[in-house]
Amino acid sequence: MKLIPEQQQNISRRAGVGVESLSQPKLVADRIIAALPENPVTAAVSAAPNGFINITLSPALLVNTITTIVTQGLLPPPLPKKRVLVDFSSPNIAKEMHVGHLRSTIIGDALCRIFEFVGHDVLRVNHVGDWGTQFGMLITYLLAEYPDFLTNPPDISDLTRIYKESKRRFDADEQFKETSRLNVVRLQSGDATCRTIWQSLCDISRKEFQKVYDLLDIRLEEVGESFYNPMIPGVIDELRNLGLVQPDEGMDIVKLPHFTIPLILRKSDGGYGYDSTDMAALKHRLFNLKRDWIVAAANATTTEEIANLAAKKVKNIVPPEEIEASAQKIGYGAVKYFDLKQHPETNYIFSYENMLNTKGDTAVYLLFAYARLASILRKAEEEKNIVLATFTAQATSLLTLATPEERALAFELLQFGDVIGTVLQELLPNRLCDYIKELSVKFTEFVTKCQVLNNDDIAVTQSRLLLCEATRRTMRQCFALLGIEPCERI
């Protein structure tokens, strides 16, 4: 990069060197180091010949970090508190949840857990698709197939079959299509027959969705598209009074700068569409719910089938005596982690073989590392009679961090708060996955090269057990934020 004269002068003024010195990076680095005040963070600072600055952290900083973790737990970074709404999952009534909904559900839940951890006021909203054209289609089909629907309700639990049949007729029969569109308008206008059939469809779908949410330990508040229907006319009037609504071939639309496709607030048949609902939802969330921050976790095999099949496949890699206790935790955790470790905007191939791999960047590997960690702490008490609770309060004086592996692990623990801040800034839970993976690697290197229990120095054992406990607590907190339940024994 070539600096213009003004940039050179600005940099040289801040670094306390002349413009001619910018061609000597080592000199600039030396001046920066000389200007650093005494502080509790750095133990040593040096400049490399190429101008890079090497910093050695103070051992006291690392020791104090571990002491805080083992005595107080993981503390969230101090951030201004906000009122947050996370819109996620959002399946469609009368349709099965698919892998896209699975991804939105898992990512949205993780974001909610992290927002809640730092103290934000969080609303978890499930904006289900319970309104629109498909219901006119379904209502028309059900009234044609079961004319006495209201007096003799049929079994309509097989919604997938019903949806496919109604969609086939909708695409093939113009009269059926027109009647369906009229039934949408009747539904939105409060027609009793349409509302009764609609409610039956919603109730059946809601039960199926809840099965998936229970399996994955997901909490949501359903606020579907239908909730906003009574608000839409007022929102359209408000936008019209602001001069934003234009008539267009019988429709009411809003043209937005930089977009070629307008928002359709009212269709030519008088009905409302997704844009109408979204405008009403946005106003309600901002002004009625007074949210400062609205986050939308955007979106074949069914989701429930994916979760259950993963749990079954885990039984091939878990010892028989631990199957019942561990299979579901590992299986559901594997599904979640495999999704969360990806960048939300990146496509990937859904693979049971990859997600259940016992090596590499998988929940299985991480959960095995956590179980190994828990086993060390358990054996210390059961086999060595070393009770961690009896010396935790003296952690500051007991911790030594004498080896490179101990210091590397302690340094990784130090970064937890910064990682949480980065996740919230970027809204990327995969950053937390990267962190717990690296933490697990550092722990594995530590226990491979540093004897924890099998050494003759009790002081060293106590120090390393404290380091293990801090790592265990940090990993457990990361799992909790990702919605994964760890196994104490595998």
Side-chain angles (χ1 to χ4, degrees):
M1 179 181 70
K2 185 176 181 180
L3 300 177
I4 62 175
E6 291 81 5
Q7 290 174 319
Q8 292 177 333
Q9 291 172 3
N10 187 41
I11 293 173
S12 66
R13 183 173 62 254
R14 293 183 180 182
V17 298
V19 172
E20 67 281 357
S21 298
L22 291 177
S23 61
Q24 305 175 46
K26 176 69 162 56
L27 177 59
V28 177
D30 288 337
R31 292 291 183 89
I32 292 174
I33 292 171
L36 288 176
E38 289 189 13
N39 63 83
V41 175
T42 60
V45 183
S46 62
N50 57 8
F52 286 106
I53 297 175
N54 301 312
I55 298 174
T56 301
L57 293 179
S58 163
L61 175 67
L62 299 176
V63 167
N64 291 338
T65 297
I66 297 169
T67 299
T68 299
I69 295 172
V70 297
T71 57
Q72 302 178 43
L74 276 296
L75 303 178
L79 297 170
K81 301 301 179 277
K82 293 185 178 182
R83 296 163 62 88
V84 184
L85 184 148
V86 182
D87 181 335
F88 67 108
S89 193
S90 307
N92 293 307
I93 296 293
K95 292 183 180 180
E96 289 181 322
M97 294 178 70
H98 55 69
V99 173
H101 295 122
L102 173 66
R103 193 172 203 192
S104 171
T105 302
I106 291 172
I107 292 174
D109 177 64
L111 289 173
C112 287
R113 289 171 183 266
I114 296 168
F115 284 134
E116 290 160 353
F117 175 67
V118 301
H120 292 327
D121 173 18
V122 182
L123 291 181
R124 298 161 160 259
V125 173
N126 192 8
H127 189 76
V128 298
D130 65 351
W131 215 236
T133 303
Q134 76 267 30
F135 288 98
M137 180 179 74
L138 291 164
I139 290 168
T140 303
Y141 174 82
L142 290 171
L143 286 176
E145 291 293 307
Y146 310 103
D148 57 347
F149 187 99
L150 298 182
T151 57
N152 185 26
D155 178 6
I156 58 170
S157 58
D158 188 359
L159 289 181
T160 301
R161 179 190 62 80
I162 292 173
Y163 184 88
K164 289 179 179 179
E165 279 297 312
S166 60
K167 183 67 167 65
R168 184 183 61 79
R169 291 195 191 180
F170 185 87
D171 293 337
D173 187 335
E174 284 299 321
Q175 182 58 49
F176 184 94
K177 182 181 294 187
E178 182 59 29
T179 303
S180 298
R181 288 171 176 159
L182 293 176
N183 276 331
V184 172
V185 178
R186 294 189 184 102
L187 173 63
Q188 294 175 343
S189 302
D191 178 82
T193 299
C194 290
R195 284 295 179 101
T196 299
I197 298 174
W198 169 78
Q199 189 63 59
S200 298
L201 294 168
C202 290
D203 290 344
I204 293 170
S205 286
R206 194 171 290 120
K207 290 178 182 177
E208 295 303 310
F209 296 158
Q210 194 58 48
K211 290 179 183 178
V212 176
Y213 298 142
D214 289 343
L215 285 174
L216 299 177
D217 189 26
I218 306 292
R219 294 182 293 106
L220 299 108
E221 178 183 356
E222 182 182 312
V223 186
E225 295 171 350
S226 61
F227 174 81
Y228 304 102
N229 191 60
M231 308 176 192
I232 293 175
V235 170
I236 295 176
D237 289 342
E238 186 173 349
L239 293 172
R240 180 178 286 107
N241 292 337
L242 292 171
L244 299 174
V245 178
Q246 303 176 26
D248 186 271
E249 297 181 359
M251 301 181 292
D252 288 332
I253 68 169
V254 172
K255 291 185 177 179
L256 300 173
H258 312 300
F259 290 91
T260 56
I261 301 176
L263 296 174
I264 301 175
L265 300 184
R266 196 192 320 266
K267 296 185 286 188
S268 58
D269 61 7
Y272 305 126
Y274 294 121
D275 295 342
S276 322
T277 303
D278 288 346
M279 290 298 98
L282 188 60
K283 181 184 178 184
H284 178 73
R285 293 169 177 180
L286 290 174
F287 297 99
N288 295 76
L289 300 178
K290 302 186 185 304
R291 297 291 101 180
D292 306 311
W293 196 357
I294 298 175
V295 178
N299 313 313
T301 305
T302 69
T303 302
E304 183 180 359
E305 187 177 342
I306 288 169
N308 281 326
L309 186 54
K312 292 176 182 177
K313 285 180 176 286
V314 166
K315 294 182 179 181
N316 296 324
I317 59 175
V318 177
E321 64 274 14
E322 302 293 342
I323 283 178
E324 294 305 320
S326 303
Q328 287 195 342
K329 291 180 182 179
I330 298 176
Y332 300 158
V335 172
K336 287 186 175 184
Y337 185 82
F338 191 75
D339 218 329
L340 288 168
K341 76 173 185 176
Q342 320 287 341
H343 191 288
E345 296 180 1
T346 301
N347 293 325
Y348 66 93
I349 297 174
F350 194 94
S351 166
Y352 288 114
E353 181 179 353
N354 291 336
M355 73 171 59
L356 296 173
N357 196 325
T358 57
K359 298 178 181 179
D361 188 14
T362 66
V364 179
Y365 168 77
L366 299 176
L367 290 168
F368 270 72
Y370 178 87
R372 182 182 184 186
L373 178 51
S375 175
I376 292 172
L377 294 166
R378 190 167 54 250
K379 287 180 179 179
E381 184 169 344
E382 295 175 354
E383 299 178 10
K384 302 289 186 178
N385 198 30
I386 304 175
V387 182
L388 187 69
T390 61
F391 56 88
T392 299
Q394 290 80 48
T396 302
S397 59
L398 291 174
L399 284 159
T400 55
L401 308 179
T403 68
E405 291 77 23
E406 289 171 293
R407 291 192 293 271
L409 179 54
F411 179 71
E412 205 66 36
L413 294 170
L414 177 66
Q415 299 179 63
F416 173 78
D418 291 336
V419 171
I420 295 299
T422 300
V423 171
L424 292 175
Q425 183 178 7
E426 300 179 348
L427 296 179
L428 296 177
N430 59 299
R431 303 295 190 211
L432 186 57
C433 295
D434 293 339
Y435 173 72
I436 191 174
K437 177 192 66 176
E438 190 60 29
L439 181 61
S440 298
V441 170
K442 291 293 189 292
F443 165 72
T444 301
E445 293 172 351
F446 159 65
V447 294
T448 300
K449 296 186 179 181
C450 301
Q451 292 289 342
V452 178
L453 299 179
N454 298 322
N455 67 70
D456 299 327
D457 191 334
I458 185 63
V460 172
T461 296
Q462 288 177 326
S463 175
R464 290 175 178 174
L465 284 172
L466 288 167
L467 186 54
C468 285
E469 174 63 7
T471 305
R472 186 193 71 82
R473 290 191 179 205
T474 304
M475 289 188 70
R476 190 171 187 86
Q477 184 63 71
C478 291
F479 281 133
L481 296 177
L482 296 173
I484 297 172
E485 185 177 358
C487 304
E488 298 295 326
R489 298 173 183 265
I490 296 180

